[in-house]
């Protein structure tokens, strides 16, 4: 009697509730990918799906029509495996703005303590014929929206609700145990399966009470779009392991390049604040000079972000480097205005990617140090594994929200991600100054790249994502 009454109240109070097979929270690269994969597959495209994104997707839609003149600062390195997935499973690769991607085939990495000991990776031996391809996040997202438009034209149905924030997620009742997603426009969606592609702070993960373990690195990733003195026709990616963290210069088309400079909180402030004329010089110097000299310059800039003395010091030190002896990347000559930004670096891994009626993909499931450029690629392999599990489940007539249906996703994706997270974490520790015993060894001038067993192996694995 009471239950009947309560049920009556509940339905009277929720005139705005709709029902879906799948709700995806998050319109980042991972969320748009799972939506595209679901609607591209003949086995899953009949499912009623809605994607909810708190922000606006308008800048991404505009990118397809009129991309900005300069490269945006969020750029990632895609592995051949990710490209293959975008091409043959999601059908989105053909919608990438092909003028704004850069294939590269070689990475040269070296230690801050010893520029002459180098590890070179050559991608021409890889099956795909290339090592990786650089692309802007927004280019990837725009290609997915374009592919979704194409699917909609073909009559595939799905809904995208941007500018709509998920306010809370609640449990269903015993009659219908599907999660209820409350949105900030007053409406609700009750869904058979909730896919959390909602980033590091994932509301979906909290709802499912899945623990995430990890730590902050007390490091920031400083990114920027820069201009090199000349185009590198060989298209090499450069990375130098400084004790403050690795600095990478990765090629884009013509003389454009993108940098990711992992640095201490103090150094990241200097890099963001220093004069736009000094920043390029600093990047050039950080690929070449001894760390003691760099530290001296950082001190000057900490006091005065436009220090003339720092410029003089840098130019003088750089003039003494003999570029004949050792090969370095071309000097950086300019930084694109407003392209400097910093992100806190952290490692985290969810204990599980699945719970009853919930699956997590992308940064909601894991975040990784950017030193191997694998974050977004890991999200792509999550989506590949999840779509496979959901296809199998629909073929077998399983409830796609059941743990039975979702379990294969977890067992396929989790162990490989765990291994990669461990490798990148170890590499960070080997090279960064917060790992005591190694600092001592490095201080003695040991050639850490060669001396530390297995480092080269770890790096090859990390960068190629295999
Ligand atoms: C410095 C740096 C360099 C990197 N370099 C690389 C690289 O070279 N290669 C690589 O593969 N990866 C790289 N990454 C990682 C990569 O950028 C991320 O892994 C990727 O962007 C994560 O995508 P995602 O879709 O999982 O999450 P996100 O991009 O975080 O998307 C989550 C979305 O969910 C939405 N959302 C969250 N909560 C709600 C809510 N309550 N309601 C509605 N919507 C919500 C958010 O608005 C957001 O749009 C790098 C990262 C950093 C920090
Ligand atoms: C997108 O493009 C439209 C039309 O050109 C413009 O009016 C709008 O301001 C743009 N929006 C953003 C966020 O750039
Ligand atoms: C790259 O640099 C060149 C020359 O500096 C410029 O003309 C071009 O537009 C840039 N490409 C992009 C996509 O920004
Ligand atoms: C129902 O949802 C719409 C938006 O979808 C909103 O405008 C309206 O206020 C909601 N009504 C109630 C009663 O919450």
């Amino acid at each position: 009697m009471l239950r009947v009454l309560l049920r009556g109240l509940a339905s009277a109070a929720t005139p705005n509730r709709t029902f879906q097979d799948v709700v995806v929270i998050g319109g980042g690269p991972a969320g748009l990918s799972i939506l595209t994969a679901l609607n591209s597959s003949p086995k899953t495209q009949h499912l009623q799906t809605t994607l909810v994104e708190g922000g606006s997707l308008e800048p991404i839609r505009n990118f397809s029509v009129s991309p900005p003149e300069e490269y945006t600062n969020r750029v990632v390195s895609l592995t051949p495996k990710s490209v293959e997935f975008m091409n043959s499973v999601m059908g989105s690769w053909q919608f990438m703005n092909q003028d704004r991607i850069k294939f590269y085939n070689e990475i040269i990495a070296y230690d801050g303590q010893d520029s002459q000991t180098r590890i070179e990776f050559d991608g021409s031996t890889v099956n795909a014929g290339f090592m990786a391809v650089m692309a802007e996040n927004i280019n990837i997202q725009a290609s997915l929206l374009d592919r979704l438009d194409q699917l909609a034209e073909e009559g595939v149905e799905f809904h995208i609700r941007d500018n709509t924030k998920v306010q809370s997620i609640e449990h269903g009742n015993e009659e219908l145990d599907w999660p209820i997603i409350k949105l900030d426009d007053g409406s609700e969606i009750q869904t058979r399966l909730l896919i959390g592609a909602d980033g590091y702070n994932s509301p979906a993960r909290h709802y499912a009470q899945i623990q995430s373990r990890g730590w902050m690195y007390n490091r920031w990733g400083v990114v920027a779009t820069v201009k090199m003195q000349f185009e590198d026709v060989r298209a090499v990616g450069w990375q130098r392991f400084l004790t403050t963290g690795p600095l990478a210069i990765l090629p884009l088309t013509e003389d454009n390049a993108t940098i990711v400079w992992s640095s201490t909180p103090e150094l990241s402030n200097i890099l963001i604040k220093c004069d736009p004329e000094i920043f390029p010089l600093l990047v050039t110097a950080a690929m070449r000079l001894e760390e003691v000299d760099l530290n001296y310059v950082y001190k000057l800039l900490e006091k005065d972000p436009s220090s003339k003395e720092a410029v003089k010091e840098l130019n003088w030190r750089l003039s003494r480097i003999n570029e004949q002896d050792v090969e370095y990347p071309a000097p950086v000559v300019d930084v694109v205005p407003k392209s400097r930004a910093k992100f806190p670096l952290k490692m985290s891994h969810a204990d599980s990617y699945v719970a009853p009626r919930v699956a997590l993909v992308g940064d909601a499931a894991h975040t990784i140090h950017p030193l191997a450029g694998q974050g977004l690629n890991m999200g792509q392999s999550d989506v590949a594994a999840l779509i496979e599990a959901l296809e199998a489940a629909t073929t077998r007539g399983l409830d796609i929200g059941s743990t039975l249906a979702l379990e294969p996703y977890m067992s396929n994706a989790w162990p490989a991600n765990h291994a990669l997270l461990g490798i990148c974490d170890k590499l960070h520790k080997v090279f960064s100054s917060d790992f005591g015993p190694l600092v001592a060894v490095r201080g003695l001038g040991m050639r850490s790249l060669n001396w530390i067993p297995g480092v080269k192996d770890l790096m090859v694995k990390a960068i190629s994502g295999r």
Side-chain angles (χ1 to χ4, degrees):
M1 179 63 181
L2 187 64
R3 272 188 62 187
V4 173
L5 189 67
L6 283 175
R7 205 180 308 145
L9 277 175
S11 58
T14 54
N16 255 353
R17 185 179 301 173
T18 51
F19 296 86
Q20 292 282 284
D21 291 311
V22 184
V23 169
V24 179
I25 307 181
L32 290 172
S33 294
I34 190 68
L35 186 70
T36 306
L38 278 168
N39 286 291
S40 295
S41 166
K43 290 180 181 148
T44 52
Q45 61 187 183
H46 65 279
L47 297 169
Q48 304 260 339
T49 53
T50 295
L51 181 143
V52 180
E53 164 58 46
S56 167
L57 295 178
E58 190 177 300
I60 299 168
R61 295 205 173 277
N62 279 8
F63 180 90
S64 299
V65 187
S66 57
E69 211 168 294
E70 298 288 359
Y71 279 100
T72 51
N73 62 8
R74 297 304 309 275
V75 179
V76 295
S77 166
L78 294 170
T79 58
K81 196 176 144 211
S82 292
V83 172
E84 173 58 21
F85 178 66
M86 292 171 173
N87 192 27
S88 54
V89 179
M90 297 198 293
S92 63
W93 183 255
Q94 58 171 304
F95 294 102
M96 290 282 285
N97 182 331
Q98 304 284 337
D99 297 336
R100 295 173 77 105
I101 61 175
K102 178 74 175 179
F103 288 88
Y104 68 103
N105 237 330
E106 197 180 345
I107 289 185
I108 301 180
Y110 54 101
D111 189 338
Q113 306 282 342
D114 174 10
S115 294
Q116 279 165 50
T117 304
R118 289 164 174 234
I119 296 183
E120 304 196 11
F121 309 106
D122 188 344
S124 54
T125 54
V126 180
N127 278 343
F130 66 97
M131 173 172 278
V133 52
M134 300 301 299
E136 294 159 281
N137 273 9
I138 194 169
N139 195 358
I140 297 166
Q141 285 175 286
S143 71
L144 292 163
L145 283 179
D146 285 347
R147 167 65 175 151
L148 285 162
D149 282 346
Q150 183 188 45
L151 288 163
E153 274 164 33
E154 290 167 5
V156 182
E157 275 180 46
F158 55 86
H159 307 278
I160 297 180
R161 293 169 68 174
D162 64 343
N163 295 308
T164 308
K165 221 173 145 54
V166 172
Q167 247 163 7
S168 64
I169 310 169
E170 288 167 18
H171 289 276
N173 58 25
E174 58 269 34
E175 225 156 78
L176 189 63
D177 69 345
W178 300 4
I180 301 161
I181 298 148
K182 303 205 163 179
L183 304 173
D184 64 357
D185 63 2
S187 63
E188 299 179 2
I189 315 176
Q190 191 162 14
T191 185
R192 184 187 291 278
L193 171 63
L194 168 61
I195 299 180
D198 42 4
Y200 175 65
N201 290 312
S202 175
R205 193 182 66 232
H206 290 296
Y207 162 79
Q209 293 185 299
I210 296 173
Q211 289 289 319
S212 175
R213 289 162 212 280
W215 42 80
M216 304 296 292
Y217 282 118
N218 193 32
R219 290 288 191 282
W220 294 79
V222 174
V223 298
T225 307
V226 296
K227 303 274 177 185
M228 310 301 283
Q229 200 173 65
F230 42 82
E231 180 177 353
D232 169 16
V233 287
R234 254 197 320 158
V236 176
W238 294 87
Q239 188 159 40
R240 188 185 191 195
F241 286 88
L242 299 158
T243 49
T244 44
L247 163 60
I249 303 184
L250 296 154
L252 295 170
T253 52
E254 295 176 76
D255 58 358
N256 305 292
T258 185
I259 70 152
V260 186
W261 191 341
S262 308
S263 41
T264 58
E266 301 77 31
L267 177 54
S268 66
N269 282 334
I270 294 167
L271 296 175
I272 294 289
K273 279 193 211 138
C274 73
D275 272 18
E277 294 77 38
I278 297 181
F279 183 80
L281 204 54
L282 212 45
V283 179
T284 305
M287 293 305 284
R288 292 166 169 77
L289 300 185
E290 300 275 334
E291 292 206 69
V292 276
D293 297 333
L294 291 171
N295 289 337
Y296 174 70
V297 172
Y298 299 155
K299 287 229 169 61
L300 297 174
L301 289 169
E302 198 164 14
K303 281 188 225 116
D304 174 11
S306 25
S307 165
K308 294 271 182 308
E309 205 188 327
V311 175
K312 235 174 74 190
E313 185 72 24
L314 285 170
N315 279 322
W316 182 71
R317 297 267 172 207
L318 283 171
S319 72
R320 291 165 45 106
I321 296 277
N322 188 347
E323 310 248 344
Q324 244 60 59
D325 293 348
V326 189
E327 192 195 5
Y328 293 105
V332 174
V333 293
D334 207 359
V335 56
V336 169
K338 298 203 179 99
S339 73
R340 278 182 280 175
K342 59 175 193 167
F343 303 90
L345 302 183
K346 50 202 179 268
M347 122 104 194
S348 65
H349 201 193
D351 282 355
S352 176
Y353 297 169
V354 304
R357 308 217 166 273
V358 179
L360 306 175
V361 291
D363 278 22
H366 42 67
T367 55
I368 191 169
H369 195 291
L371 66 85
Q374 291 302 323
L376 192 141
N377 291 298
M378 287 168 79
Q380 293 298 299
S381 41
D382 294 345
V383 170
L386 179 56
I387 197 69
E388 231 177 83
L390 294 176
E391 282 178 334
T394 52
T395 307
R396 292 169 59 196
L398 294 177
D399 176 350
I400 54 160
S402 66
T403 25
L404 191 61
L406 298 173
E407 204 52 58
Y409 163 49
M410 166 77 185
S411 51
N412 273 331
W414 199 91
N417 284 344
H418 194 68
L420 196 53
L421 282 159
I423 288 171
C424 291
D425 189 49
K426 272 195 210 83
L427 283 172
H428 165 77
K429 290 199 169 115
V430 164
F431 290 106
S432 71
S433 55
D434 60 8
F435 196 59
L438 281 167
V439 179
V441 170
R442 291 156 52 93
L444 297 172
M446 301 297 267
R447 305 187 157 193
S448 53
L449 282 179
N450 286 338
W451 182 79
I452 299 162
V455 164
K456 181 167 181 173
D457 269 7
L458 290 182
M459 289 201 50
V460 173
K461 279 198 193 118
I463 290 170
S464 64
R466 276 165 296 152

